[in-house]
Amino acid sequence: MSLDSHIEKVLWTKFQISKRVTELASQITSDFSSVSPPPLVVGVATGSFLFLADLVRQIQLPISIDFIRAESYGSGTESSGAPRISLDLKLEVKEKHVILIEDIVDTGNTLSCLIKHLESKGASAVSVCTLLDKPARRKVHFELLGDGKYYKGFECPDYFIVGYGMDFAELYRNLPYVGVLKPEHYN
């Protein structure tokens, strides 16, 4: 079985993704070069793991890295709208600037929940770096904390997408590109 045959069309190739990740890392390096203490980079598991790995290897700063898991999809294609934190941070965020790394910002529910959670733990600022931004699906307006910044790789049309860490029912994360999953594979 070829996973590629499950994809209706490729939206961003591995080469387009790589180029954009390099640009984002360069911008983050520039923006945070004089921030002390250095920022804490927090990957939102599990979808951000490939993006995070590629991004942090190109950030030229002494950063710390941690993960948090917020679940809102289960095995469906629609967010439940009520994310819950199922794996919390190991590192201390008090008085630190946290850069949340997301695979996709969709409804805004998960991101809003995570920003509030980090604020409750004493983070001084929260920035967000997402590979994909899907504003057509936004339901919740989230506010960054402190002098947080918003970085986005690509604006995503309203398709159900997989690849480069993003899944449907825990499958397709290993695709090296981002593509539209054929409906017969999720209906």
Side-chain angles (χ1 to χ4, degrees):
M1 164 181 83
S2 167
L3 288 181
D4 294 332
S5 68
H6 294 196
I7 303 302
E8 191 171 294
K9 67 179 172 180
V10 173
L11 295 178
W12 294 283
T13 67
K14 66 180 179 180
F15 303 107
Q16 291 169 312
I17 293 168
S18 178
K19 179 179 184 288
R20 188 65 183 122
V21 169
T22 297
E23 293 167 354
L24 290 168
S26 177
Q27 185 64 55
I28 290 169
T29 299
S30 174
D31 289 350
F32 288 88
S33 62
S34 62
V35 172
S36 183
L40 168 62
V41 175
V42 175
V44 182
T46 301
S48 74
F49 80 103
L50 290 176
F51 178 44
L52 177 121
D54 289 345
L55 183 71
V56 297
R57 287 182 291 173
Q58 296 186 61
I59 294 175
Q60 300 299 308
L61 299 169
I63 55 174
S64 300
I65 302 167
D66 203 350
F67 286 91
I68 193 165
R69 182 182 299 250
E71 298 179 17
S72 61
Y73 278 87
S75 62
T77 61
E78 294 286 326
S79 171
S80 68
R84 65 179 185 83
I85 296 185
S86 59
L87 175 70
D88 208 345
L89 299 165
K90 179 179 73 172
L91 300 177
E92 178 65 48
V93 300
K94 190 174 178 78
E95 297 179 15
K96 291 186 181 169
H97 192 129
V98 176
I99 305 174
L100 275 173
I101 308 298
E102 271 276 29
D103 53 354
I104 186 166
V105 176
D106 191 345
T107 64
N109 285 323
T110 300
L111 194 53
S112 179
C113 169
L114 290 171
I115 292 169
K116 288 175 185 166
H117 180 70
L118 292 169
E119 182 177 21
S120 76
K121 290 173 118 4
S124 61
V126 176
S127 289
V128 173
C129 182
T130 184
L131 177 66
L132 302 177
D133 187 24
K134 199 186 271 192
R137 307 260 308 153
R138 198 84 76 242
K139 293 179 179 172
V140 174
H141 174 73
F142 53 86
E143 291 191 27
L144 301 173
L145 182 60
D147 58 353
K149 300 177 185 317
Y150 189 74
Y151 304 92
K152 69 177 178 181
F154 303 98
E155 189 164 310
C156 187
D158 194 11
Y159 295 120
F160 189 72
I161 48 104
V162 294
Y164 196 65
M166 291 168 279
D167 74 303
F168 169 66
E170 298 302 325
L171 301 175
Y172 307 103
R173 291 188 193 278
N174 56 318
L175 292 172
Y177 54 79
V178 174
V180 179
L181 187 62
K182 290 179 180 175
E184 61 264 28
H185 295 289
Y186 62 85
N187 282 338

